[in-house]
Amino acid sequence: MAKRRSVGNPLALAVLANLLLEPLHPYEMGRRLKETGKDRNIKYNRGSLYMVVEQLRKAGFIAEQETVRDTARPERTVYALTDAGRVELDDWMRELVAKPEHEYPKFGVALSLLGVLEPTVAVGLLGERLAALDREAEAISRETESTLDQGVLWVFLVEENYRLAVLDAERRFVTTLIEALKSTDYVRAWHEMFDEGKQTWER
C-alpha cells in the first residue's frame, strides 16, 4: 500500500526534484517542466504550481531563500529544498520506482465491459483507437528526438521511452483484439447471446 503523504500531488514531487539541483522561483520551475517535457506527464497550470509550492513550504519540505527584485518584473520568491524535503524526495522516488500500483485506467473499465458492444461496432471503435495511438507514438518520437537534439540528457526523457513502450504494447494488444472480435465464432456467439436476450426482453 502506498504511503500517505502530507503533500501527495505528483506536481509536488516534480518541484522537489527541480529544487534538488538549485534554488528556484516557481516561474522558473514551470519553465523547466515545459522545457524537459515533464508537463506531458504531470498536469499543472500556474495556479496549481504556486499552490503546491505553498503546501510544500507549510510541510517544511522547502523554504524561502530570498526575494529577487527586478525592475522589469514583479518580485519573486526563490525557494530551496530543506533536509526534510530531501528525505521526502528520496523516500517518494524509491516507493514509486520499486512498488507497482494498480491505477484503474479507464480503458481497462471499457475492456471489462466490451462484450456489450456489437462486434462490428467494437472493431470500428478499436480501429479509431489504434489510429490515435499511432499518431500519439509518432508525436512522442518527434518531440523526444527534438529535445535530445537540444542537449537534454537521455535520462531526463526516460519517461517518454516508457510511454512509447506502453503505447507499442497497447497497439499490439488492440490489433490482436480486433482480429479476435472479427472471428466468425465470436460474432456468432455474440448474436446468439444478445439476440436471444433481446427476444426475452421484448416478450
Side-chain angles (χ1 to χ4, degrees), residues 6-9 12 48-62:
S6 55
V7 187
N9 190 324
S48 63
L49 178 57
Y50 278 85
M51 180 184 70
V52 163
V53 166
E54 178 60 16
Q55 291 174 339
L56 290 170
R57 185 194 66 78
K58 288 182 178 180
F61 296 141
I62 65 175

Side-chain angles (χ1 to χ4, degrees), residues 25-38:
H25 52 73
Y27 175 82
E28 182 66 16
M29 296 176 199
R31 187 180 69 82
R32 292 190 180 186
L33 284 172
K34 287 186 176 181
E35 283 185 349
T36 57
K38 297 297 182 288

Side-chain angles (χ1 to χ4, degrees), residues 89-101:
L89 172 61
D90 183 71
D91 183 63
W92 200 348
M93 282 297 299
R94 287 173 178 270
E95 177 185 289
L96 290 177
V97 172
K99 300 178 181 178
E101 182 177 348

Side-chain angles (χ1 to χ4, degrees), residues 11-23:
L11 180 57
L13 183 63
V15 169
L16 295 175
N18 270 276
L19 293 179
L20 183 64
L21 297 177
E22 62 178 320

